[in-house]
Amino acid sequence: MGSGLEVSEIVDALVGAERTPYESRATAKAETLTTDISAVGALKSALEVVQVSMASLADADNYQQRSVSGSDDFVSLSSDETAEVGSYAIKVDALATEHKLSSIGFEATDAVGEGTITFNSGGNSFDITTTDTDTLADLRDAINDSNDNDSITATIVTGVEGQHLVLTSNETGLESGISITVNESVDAAGGNDDGSTDDGGLGGGIIGGEEETEPDTSNDANNVDNIGLSRLAYQPNSEEDGFSTNMTEVTAASDAQITLDGNIVATSSSNTFTNVIDGIDITVNKIHNDDDDSSSANVTEDNSNIESGLDSFVSSYNTLIELADNLAGVGDDGVGVMTGDALLRGVLNKLRQEISNSFDTGSGNTLSLSALGVSGDIDGVLSLDSDILNDFIDSDVDAVEQFFTGDNTSSITSLGFAQSMDDLLNFYTASDGLIEGRIDSKESQLTQLEDDNASFLLKMDALEARLLSQFNAMDLLVANLNSTSTYLQAQLDNMPGVVLDN
């Protein structure tokens, strides 16, 4: 106010003169760091894609696989690497079935009888104890809820004759056939809970002047007499204790059966035959009739992973070369962000050397990518000749496999091309690799730059405050001097002898 100067504008200009050069340098440095992080990050991503493309070539399990064809309405086929190349005729003679039994009809409120029922199926045996009030539904629930039961499922089917207990084995095959033996409770009089008595017995008392003895409940004839609990007995083997067929067999337990090449018969408890033919699983779906042609299983060797894997590698490598050219500024677009960069130059040199290397294939022989149809042009771009590759696969697939996977069977392990390439790329792409170390360093510099910027802004704020204080003090001093000057002038004007010039 005293000096008439634009103090705020002067201060802004002075602070700006300090701020602008620093901010320009800081911005340029931040852009350089960010660009470098982005560039090496893109390089790392491209290298990782090349690594992934090699995965199928590095896995020995992917070589010389077996492919089986011939699945139809009758059979479904699958194979593994142990299957031998060849053809097989398959005829389905029988399908495996679950055993199914059905009881006579019961009223819903009828008691099934008191005692113990023993169920057997496929080596699983369990007991169910019934009371004199248990109904068919109670028995069904007890069977299904038994912790010891892992072989039988019970259901109730209701028809015109009442409720039928239906038992089905959980597994197919002859070994899963169901047998049921019962041990009915006998009252003190020697009779059963349903009022019947043992053969020839009257529940005790005097017959012909002689006292009847207690019945032999350990071999009670009523356990199979189709009265009371014995209505649920089923033991079809006449040579076994408790022989009975009081339950009705709805479906017999049976094994699946096939005939191979017209003369070899094989059976299975399930509808899947495993390794009847080495390395081939056969699932039977339908029985061949006499006039049906046999199914045919054809096993062929599958090495498609080699061409697809190598083609994937060539494609990903060429993408890497294209990116590297852009980063290095090769072409008419000017200087790239990594022109002359030692990291980029080192990666490319090592990759080119790796691609040209030969690897051991056994018996003192070696092989290189060029022999498998991979060639490069003057710019380093690769191409694959599938005809050359497939001819080599047909002539010596073992050598091709060892070239890529190495030899892990002998005492001296040797790396193949795929593993060697992966190790090289891992040097750059690993979490503690060379590229990640560079990115971490640049990001650390960015963080330090941000801290420096914050400190510089505080310094500029302090400079602005100091300048404003100084200029305001100067302005106040000038105002005071002006006031003093005005006062003195007035006093001089009023002194005697002073002639005013009108």
Side-chain angles (χ1 to χ4, degrees):
M1 293 176 62
S3 65
L5 298 175
E6 297 290 343
V7 172
S8 61
E9 292 182 4
I10 293 172
V11 171
D12 287 343
L14 291 173
V15 172
E18 290 283 339
R19 186 199 306 266
T20 300
Y22 175 86
E23 288 184 340
S24 297
R25 291 193 302 271
T27 300
K29 187 175 181 179
E31 289 178 351
T32 300
L33 291 172
T34 302
T35 300
D36 189 81
I37 291 173
S38 178
V40 295
L43 177 62
K44 180 184 178 183
S45 296
L47 292 172
E48 288 173 337
V49 173
V50 176
Q51 260 186 303
V52 171
S53 72
M54 301 295 295
S56 66
L57 294 173
D59 188 353
D61 290 338
N62 292 332
Y63 291 83
Q64 303 186 54
Q65 292 186 343
R66 299 298 188 264
S67 176
V68 61
S69 61
S71 296
D72 54 23
D73 293 340
F74 301 97
V75 296
S76 299
L77 306 170
S78 62
S79 64
D80 60 30
E81 67 276 4
T82 64
E84 295 296 335
V85 174
S87 297
Y88 309 89
I90 304 171
K91 185 176 181 181
V92 181
D93 304 316
L95 299 179
T97 56
E98 306 93 348
H99 199 199
K100 181 181 286 189
L101 302 175
S102 177
S103 72
I104 63 173
F106 286 75
E107 293 296 330
T109 57
D110 284 352
V112 295
E114 182 179 5
T116 301
I117 312 176
T118 300
F119 297 89
N120 289 278
S121 176
N124 174 231
S125 179
F126 62 97
D127 294 334
I128 298 295
T129 300
T130 59
T131 67
D132 59 359
T133 60
D134 283 341
T135 64
L136 209 61
D138 295 326
L139 177 57
R140 173 203 59 199
D141 294 341
I143 293 172
N144 292 335
D145 295 341
S146 172
N147 292 329
D148 298 325
N149 173 25
D150 58 17
S151 60
I152 296 173
T153 299
T155 57
I156 290 178
V157 177
T158 303
V160 295
E161 296 179 354
Q163 293 184 342
H164 300 262
L165 179 69
V166 177
L167 302 176
T168 306
S169 60
N170 294 339
E171 303 293 336
T172 58
L174 286 172
E175 294 298 323
S176 296
I178 301 171
S179 66
I180 308 166
T181 56
V182 303
N183 189 4
E184 293 190 87
S185 296
V186 179
D187 60 23
N192 294 316
D193 292 333
D194 60 7
S196 63
T197 60
D198 298 330
D199 291 345
L202 297 175
I206 305 299
I207 299 179
E210 296 183 4
E211 184 176 353
E212 184 188 8
T213 60
E214 282 292 323
D216 181 6
T217 57
S218 64
N219 188 22
D220 182 11
N222 281 331
N223 288 335
V224 294
D225 64 1
N226 210 14
I227 299 174
L229 197 59
S230 65
R231 290 172 290 181
L232 301 176
Y234 185 83
Q235 173 53 271
N237 188 346
S238 60
E239 298 180 359
E240 296 285 343
D241 292 338
F243 167 69
S244 173
T245 55
N246 294 341
M247 294 277 279
T248 300
E249 186 175 62
V250 178
T251 304
S254 64
D255 288 343
Q257 178 177 305
I258 58 174
T259 301
L260 300 172
D261 292 335
N263 64 345
I264 301 175
V265 176
T267 60
S268 171
S269 61
S270 72
N271 285 316
T272 298
F273 294 76
T274 301
N275 281 334
V276 170
I277 304 173
D278 286 344
I280 299 178
D281 288 345
I282 305 168
T283 300
V284 295
N285 307 315
K286 180 181 176 183
I287 297 174
H288 282 91
N289 295 321
D290 292 338
D291 56 349
D292 290 325
D293 293 332
S294 297
S295 299
S296 180
N298 299 302
V299 182
T300 55
E301 189 172 87
D302 182 7
N303 286 302
S304 59
N305 73 296
I306 301 176
E307 182 175 353
S308 62
L310 197 49
D311 187 67
S312 176
F313 165 72
V314 168
S315 176
S316 61
Y317 181 84
N318 289 340
T319 300
L320 170 65
I321 293 300
E322 181 180 0
L323 172 67
D325 288 345
N326 291 332
L327 294 177
V330 177
D332 300 328
D333 297 333
V335 178
V337 295
M338 295 185 71
T339 299
D341 193 290
L343 172 63
L344 179 61
R345 187 170 58 253
V347 169
L348 295 179
N349 288 340
K350 289 184 179 298
L351 286 176
R352 293 189 185 102
Q353 180 181 353
E354 191 72 14
I355 288 173
S356 64
N357 283 343
S358 296
F359 290 84
D360 178 56
T361 59
S363 302
N365 297 318
T366 59
L367 191 62
S368 65
L369 278 181
S370 59
L372 295 178
V374 178
S375 59
D377 62 16
I378 192 173
D379 296 320
V381 177
L382 300 181
S383 60
L384 172 63
D385 190 320
S386 298
D387 291 335
I388 295 177
L389 174 64
N390 290 321
D391 286 344
F392 208 109
I393 291 173
D394 293 339
S395 64
D396 193 354
V397 66
D398 291 329
V400 177
E401 177 180 348
Q402 187 166 333
F403 167 78
F404 284 110
T405 65
D407 181 11
N408 297 313
T409 59
S410 62
S411 58
I412 302 177
T413 300
S414 63
L415 293 180
F417 172 76
Q419 184 61 58
S420 180
M421 178 65 79
D422 184 72
D423 289 348
L424 170 61
L425 294 173
N426 205 50
F427 174 76
Y428 294 99
T429 62
S431 59
D432 57 349
L434 194 61
I435 292 180
E436 195 62 34
R438 174 159 164 172
I439 291 175
D440 290 343
S441 174
K442 299 300 181 181
E443 288 179 341
S444 178
Q445 292 179 55
L446 271 178
T447 301
Q448 184 59 51
L449 186 59
E450 291 172 357
D451 293 341
D452 292 344
N453 287 340
S455 297
F456 180 76
L457 289 176
L458 292 176
K459 180 180 179 181
M460 290 299 98
D461 289 342
L463 175 62
E464 182 178 27
R466 179 165 56 83
L467 290 175
L468 283 173
S469 176
Q470 290 174 339
F471 271 92
N472 286 333
M474 179 273 295
D475 205 44
L476 180 61
L477 178 61
V478 171
N480 290 333
L481 291 174
N482 286 337
S483 177
T484 301
S485 174
T486 302
Y487 172 77
L488 291 174
Q489 185 64 45
Q491 293 301 315
L492 292 173
D493 289 343
N494 292 326
M495 289 180 66
V498 176
V499 179
L500 296 178
D501 187 8
N502 292 327

